[in-house]
Amino acid sequence: MASGETIESYVPSRLDGLPWSRWHWLIVVALGATWILDGLEVTLAGALGGILTRPDTLGLTAVEVGASATYYLIGAVIGALLFGYAADRFGRKKLFFITVAVYLFGTALSAFSWNFASYAIFRALTGAGIGGEYAAINSAIDELIPARVRGRVDLMINGSYWVGAALGAIGTLILLDPQRLPVWLGWRCAFGIGATLGLVVIFFRQWIPESPRWLMIHGRNFEAEKIVAEVERLVDGAAPGVRTEIFPTRIRTRTHTPWREIWNAIAHEHRQRSVLGFVLMLTQAFFYNAIFFTYALVLMKFYGVPEQNVGGYLLPFAVGNVLGPIVLGHFFDTVGRKKMIAITYGLSGFFLALTGWLFYAGMLTAQTQTLAWSIIFFIASAAASSAYLTVSEIFPLEIRALAIAIFYALGTFTGGVGAPILFGWLIGTGSSAALFAGYLVGAILMILGALTEVLIGVPAERKSLEHVAAPLSSRL
């Protein structure tokens, strides 16, 4: 089909009308594994932070441990922007394999680091693969999942980050045990966990089709309709009471979206939504990266936890983060996006401030500190996941992956990149008052995110993506 031809396609409404099936579970497993990989990488870096300061490993300083996390995030920012644009231009499916291959290469090389510089470079490469995954995979998932359950599914997938975190914690408990492996070897073997999972992900992704919505926009509606028909055949038709009215989406096909149109859509036409996406991503990025990347250092510095035991403290923390989106996700589709996002952001900020004060007052132990953070992040995990859900819903189809990339990059760069270095420095001072001040900054930012959602949030629950944000090519 030629570019510029006007068509009517039933692809979006047919996808939204599908009953939940094993095919959707395949999508969740094959594409949602991105967050497991990221959680694994972040946990490995956090749990290995103390080990890598030893002279028989890499001999890093506390500041260099924080800086290595910053390099990972810088790589994620660059990867998100590069691969996000590519996903909108060349298709979601092609990027499925490229981004995970970059991740595999980076995490495997991390095991062979010989000093801070090499470790930082390899972590940046690993981050580039994960950042690209966020853009390409988030857009594809939203375009394949029915509208009525998009919120809870997105949150649960994002929450699977903490399944990776739990795997990383268990892995480090085993591999960093000097009775099993010498320390100089155990930390290198830990990175093999990510490489192994990455190979499994590649295997499953071979059965995932190109996004029919992307094909529709790019003049390949026949292919899109064929994919949807095959999916409908696999799920054996719609379940009673599931399908809604099927209606056409009228668009003008295109090969690509010009940069001028991209800029106009993000900076002018959807300016308020851009502010919303930026604030939600920035605040949760600072909140998470400040605390989690330096979690091991806090336990070791202020509570005297041996570095080989840090993984055990990460497990309850990970469990709280996994359960949050599972328990709360349903309400983002029923109670609504605006209310639930505002509540989870606000409560996360309030409880972090309270826990920070208890820490400053010396009223916590390593166990109660972990319990408090587990409760906080039960809520904060749903909040952070809703930021990714928001930016993947509120922009037009033609620029969805790039929009995810831009706001992930902006939020991560402004809210996340400096946070590990800042908190690494605060921890290095040994001052509980200084660290409490850092926690207060994180709390205030989350409350700011809640207020922003109240003022300009988008009620996207149970609505088709085309209704939330009309395609640019639908303006005939």
Side-chain angles (χ1 to χ4, degrees):
M1 183 178 291
S3 177
E5 183 175 347
T6 300
I7 65 168
E8 286 189 347
S9 176
Y10 289 87
V11 163
S13 60
R14 287 171 69 187
L15 285 170
D16 284 335
L18 288 171
W20 189 261
S21 66
R22 286 182 295 177
W23 182 80
H24 292 103
W25 280 116
L26 175 62
I27 298 296
V28 169
V29 171
L31 299 185
T34 295
W35 287 264
I36 295 178
L37 295 176
D38 191 21
L40 174 69
E41 289 300 318
V42 172
T43 304
L44 288 177
L48 293 173
I51 292 290
L52 296 182
T53 61
R54 293 173 52 139
D56 57 341
T57 57
L58 294 182
L60 305 182
T61 66
V63 173
E64 286 176 334
V65 170
S68 66
T70 295
Y71 277 96
Y72 176 85
L73 293 172
I74 290 174
V77 166
I78 295 172
L81 293 173
L82 175 65
F83 295 124
Y85 174 75
D88 279 335
R89 181 69 186 269
F90 304 111
R92 318 303 193 212
K93 187 175 177 66
K94 290 179 181 178
L95 274 296
F96 291 169
F97 298 99
I98 295 174
T99 52
V100 76
V102 172
Y103 161 78
L104 273 171
F105 190 54
T107 195
L109 286 176
S110 297
F112 296 94
S113 304
W114 59 90
N115 58 16
F116 170 69
S118 63
Y119 183 65
I121 291 171
F122 297 150
R123 298 312 293 154
L125 185 61
T126 306
I130 291 296
E133 286 269 291
Y134 274 134
I137 305 306
N138 255 339
S139 55
I141 289 173
D142 273 5
E143 290 164 11
L144 294 170
I145 297 299
R148 66 186 180 279
V149 294
R150 190 173 60 241
R152 72 194 73 177
V153 171
D154 261 29
L155 261 67
M156 289 174 64
I157 289 175
N158 278 275
S160 68
Y161 174 103
W162 297 100
V163 174
L167 289 174
I170 293 171
T172 55
L173 281 175
I174 296 172
L175 295 174
L176 299 183
D177 185 349
Q179 295 183 354
R180 291 187 173 91
L181 289 173
V183 172
W184 65 267
L185 177 62
W187 75 268
R188 297 182 186 275
C189 292
F191 287 109
I193 302 172
T196 303
L197 285 178
L199 290 172
V200 174
V201 169
I202 288 180
F203 174 77
F204 277 103
R205 285 188 182 174
Q206 62 184 310
W207 291 295
I208 305 300
E210 179 60 86
S211 165
R213 281 178 158 104
W214 185 89
L215 291 170
M216 171 190 74
I217 290 291
H218 288 78
R220 298 161 63 181
N221 193 61
F222 176 78
E223 294 177 55
E225 297 276 2
K226 186 177 179 181
I227 289 173
V228 176
E230 177 63 19
V231 174
E232 288 173 333
R233 185 190 67 79
L234 288 174
V235 302
D236 196 28
V242 170
R243 277 199 184 276
T244 56
E245 181 183 356
I246 303 300
F247 57 89
T249 298
R250 197 166 185 234
I251 59 165
R252 186 180 296 276
T253 61
R254 54 174 63 191
T255 58
H256 69 285
T257 302
W259 280 104
R260 182 179 63 180
E261 192 172 0
I262 294 173
W263 171 256
N264 181 68
I266 292 177
H268 298 290
E269 183 178 353
H270 296 294
R271 181 184 303 163
Q272 187 167 283
R273 294 185 176 194
S274 295
V275 171
L276 173 67
F278 173 67
V279 171
L280 292 182
M281 292 298 286
L282 180 155
T283 53
Q284 67 83 27
F286 185 94
F287 187 84
Y288 258 95
N289 293 319
I291 295 173
F292 192 61
F293 272 122
T294 54
Y295 187 77
L297 295 177
V298 171
L299 292 173
M300 293 167 58
K301 183 79 172 182
F302 293 95
Y303 297 110
V305 175
E307 61 264 25
Q308 67 269 21
N309 295 339
V310 167
Y313 289 87
L314 293 174
L315 281 175
F317 186 82
V319 170
N321 278 277
V322 171
L323 291 178
I326 293 174
V327 174
L328 302 177
H330 168 76
F331 300 107
F332 284 78
D333 283 324
T334 54
V335 175
R337 303 282 200 266
K338 290 188 66 169
K339 291 180 181 178
M340 288 304 299
I341 293 174
I343 289 171
T344 52
Y345 265 74
L347 286 178
S348 298
F350 171 77
F351 284 125
L352 177 62
L354 177 60
T355 299
W357 178 81
L358 293 173
F359 164 78
Y360 171 67
M363 300 172 66
L364 298 176
T365 64
Q367 291 76 24
T368 55
Q369 176 78 76
T370 299
L371 176 61
W373 275 342
S374 298
I375 295 171
I376 291 170
F377 283 89
F378 171 86
I379 302 168
S381 181
S385 296
S386 70
Y388 290 95
L389 169 65
T390 297
V391 298
S392 66
E393 287 183 319
I394 62 177
F395 293 98
L397 170 65
E398 296 88 340
I399 62 171
R400 176 165 293 118
L402 181 59
I404 295 169
I406 288 173
F407 292 103
Y408 168 78
L410 285 174
T412 299
F413 187 76
T414 56
V417 167
I421 292 180
L422 170 63
F423 273 73
W425 176 77
L426 291 175
I427 293 166
T429 66
S431 170
S432 59
L435 190 53
F436 173 42
Y439 289 148
L440 282 181
V441 172
I444 291 170
L445 285 175
M446 289 298 281
I447 293 171
L448 173 64
L451 294 174
T452 303
E453 179 66 28
V454 169
L455 294 175
I456 59 175
V458 179
E461 60 274 4
R462 306 180 71 85
K463 297 177 182 177
S464 72
L465 293 172
E466 291 70 27
H467 181 82
V468 177
L472 299 175
S473 51
S474 66
R475 298 158 193 173
L476 308 177

